[in-house]
Amino acid sequence: MRRVYKYILPGVRSELDTWRARAENIPNEELRRQALASIATKQFHCQGGAVYAAIRPETRGIMIPLIVAFQTISDYLDNLCDRSTSLDPDDFRLLHQSMLDAVQPERPLADYYALREDKNDGGYLRGLVEKCRTCIAQLPGYEAARTDIVWLVGLYTDLQVYKHIDPAKREEALLAWWRDYEAKFPELTWNEFAAATGSTLGVFQLFAASMDGGLTREDAGLIREAYFPYVCGLHILLDYLIDQEEDRVGGDLNFCHYYPNQSTVVNRIGHIAEAAKEQVKKLPEERFHRMIIEGLLALYLSDPKVRDQAEVQDVCRRLMRNSPLMRLFFWVNSRWIRKHTHKEN
């Protein structure tokens, strides 16, 4: 964690400052507003994701720019789709093609705004894609991880399309999508699978593993299976857990709302957390991955939003009770990050 505070977080701040400056020069007013808003309100995602750059300190000059650029694409597009007047799935898919192009450097770049009125971003989105490609070219083991990375990004893209379409059609589309994967993941419910596809943590770990030129396809497959669905699912279900009341008021999609009651919520998230811990035992540097899992629990469950939701507070107590030291450690960590994020905003 000393590395994180001393090197990683300042590095993330520097990268975000660069992208913020570019966003300020976006000609189109709406695209400029959403690009700046995504950096201002979601930079915490980049700070958390960049923890993976701490595994090998000597690689942070590649890993931090890569993780920040990739996560910034994700956050920017999420803003565009969330606040879009369009409900066109083809528009959403074309926008997210940028994420697939970012991890497949040989593909020609597309006009990602072709299906929407707001188009001129001054090269902002392409710049993010090209930054990812430049960094990926410096990952000696990338070809071994490529198939698994593209698979995870493809699932992420599918989710972003289905979750942003007409709410009247959304659940039907998500369930139809789930039927293609149900046999492969019979231990999950459809909402748990969908939640797992919304995490970028598996991609970041595969980026980090790709710094090793000796990485094999078998190694990469083991990482993907260790992270997806359980570590990834835990990540996003915790995010939805603390947003339940906010999403209920706003009428927004929340995968925790599909459980019959809060008891089921805590039981399922607890089960997924334990399954995640078991899966990462198969990986080298198990302690690092265990820290990620414990950190996710403490980071989300110490969020200020939890204080106003009595039912969620109970869920938090039950989930955290078996890890008091890690809970305290990451509570302090999360408070530090939020304090500095607030100052920067």
Side-chain angles (χ1 to χ4, degrees):
M1 293 311 298
R2 186 184 68 83
R3 295 178 200 162
V4 171
Y5 289 121
K6 187 172 182 180
Y7 301 112
I8 305 304
L9 294 181
V12 170
R13 190 177 305 116
S14 176
E15 288 296 314
L16 286 174
D17 285 346
T18 298
W19 292 113
R20 185 182 294 107
R22 290 196 62 170
E24 287 171 349
N25 292 314
I26 292 175
N28 180 275
E29 181 180 353
E30 176 62 15
L31 298 179
R32 182 172 66 252
R33 178 166 51 248
Q34 298 305 340
L36 289 171
S38 72
I39 293 174
T41 63
K42 299 180 179 181
Q43 62 179 292
F44 187 69
H45 295 167
C46 292
Q47 292 169 324
V51 169
Y52 286 91
I55 300 176
R56 296 179 178 87
E58 69 279 6
T59 69
R60 63 178 182 269
I62 299 170
M63 288 296 299
I64 294 175
L66 173 56
I67 289 171
V68 169
F70 190 80
Q71 186 62 49
T72 299
I73 297 175
S74 169
D75 292 337
Y76 171 54
L77 297 186
D78 193 49
N79 268 35
L80 284 186
C81 295
D82 271 344
R83 292 154 181 78
S84 176
T85 55
S86 165
L87 294 173
D88 180 4
D90 293 332
D91 173 36
F92 300 149
R93 192 168 293 281
L94 182 56
L95 284 172
H96 284 87
Q97 181 63 46
S98 62
M99 296 185 74
L100 285 162
D101 290 348
V103 297
Q104 298 178 92
E106 79 290 347
R107 293 175 62 99
L109 298 180
D111 177 4
Y112 304 116
Y113 301 105
L115 299 179
R116 55 176 43 225
E117 291 182 9
D118 296 299
K119 298 178 183 294
N120 187 3
D121 74 353
Y124 179 72
L125 183 54
R126 282 197 173 202
L128 287 163
V129 171
E130 288 167 350
K131 172 58 77 171
C132 292
R133 290 179 165 201
T134 298
C135 294
I136 282 170
Q138 300 174 72
L139 302 180
Y142 186 74
E143 278 308 307
R146 175 192 171 105
T147 298
D148 292 297
I149 289 172
V150 171
W151 186 80
L152 288 171
V153 176
L155 287 179
Y156 180 90
T157 295
D158 288 342
L159 174 68
Q160 297 308 310
V161 172
Y162 300 135
K163 71 178 279 193
H164 287 111
I165 61 175
D166 183 344
K169 301 176 180 178
R170 189 167 56 197
E171 187 174 335
E172 178 184 351
L174 286 165
L175 287 169
W177 176 49
W178 161 238
R179 283 193 282 274
D180 292 335
Y181 295 94
E182 187 173 7
K184 186 173 178 61
F185 301 101
E187 71 280 11
L188 300 180
T189 58
W190 74 268
N191 55 312
E192 291 166 351
F193 169 79
T197 66
S199 174
T200 50
L201 295 186
V203 174
F204 294 157
Q205 172 53 28
L206 284 164
F207 283 161
S210 297
M211 289 300 306
D212 180 1
L215 185 73
T216 67
R217 290 181 183 271
E218 291 73 21
D219 295 333
L222 191 63
I223 291 168
R224 177 177 64 80
E225 290 173 2
Y227 264 72
F228 189 93
Y230 292 114
V231 176
C232 292
L234 177 65
H235 173 206
I236 301 302
L237 284 171
L238 288 169
D239 192 45
Y240 279 112
L241 173 70
I242 67 172
D243 285 344
Q244 283 186 93
E245 185 58 30
E246 181 182 307
D247 291 342
R248 189 176 288 112
V249 171
D252 295 329
L253 176 76
N254 187 303
F255 290 125
C256 285
H257 291 167
Y258 291 96
Y259 292 117
N261 50 55
Q262 287 294 301
S263 178
T264 305
V265 172
V266 70
N267 288 336
R268 289 303 297 170
I269 293 180
H271 166 73
I272 288 168
E274 290 306 313
K277 292 172 187 176
E278 284 299 313
Q279 289 298 311
V280 299
K281 288 180 180 178
K282 303 173 184 177
L283 298 179
E285 300 169 322
E286 176 200 341
R287 291 178 62 192
F288 173 84
H289 303 293
R290 172 82 179 219
M291 182 190 75
I292 292 291
I293 294 167
E294 298 284 359
L296 284 171
L297 286 163
L299 206 57
Y300 278 102
L301 302 185
S302 64
D303 191 283
K305 295 177 185 177
V306 173
R307 290 198 296 265
D308 299 324
Q309 301 179 73
E311 288 184 334
V312 177
Q313 285 181 356
D314 181 57
V315 172
C316 295
R317 282 192 291 268
R318 293 170 63 184
L319 286 173
M320 296 286 287
R321 63 189 175 190
N322 293 326
S323 185
L325 293 178
M326 193 63 75
R327 175 179 59 191
L328 177 62
F329 176 76
F330 273 90
W331 181 83
V332 173
N333 182 47
S334 67
R335 297 295 293 180
W336 186 93
I337 291 176
R338 290 190 182 93
K339 177 182 177 182
H340 285 258
T341 299
H342 177 72
K343 284 182 178 179
E344 290 163 8
N345 290 340

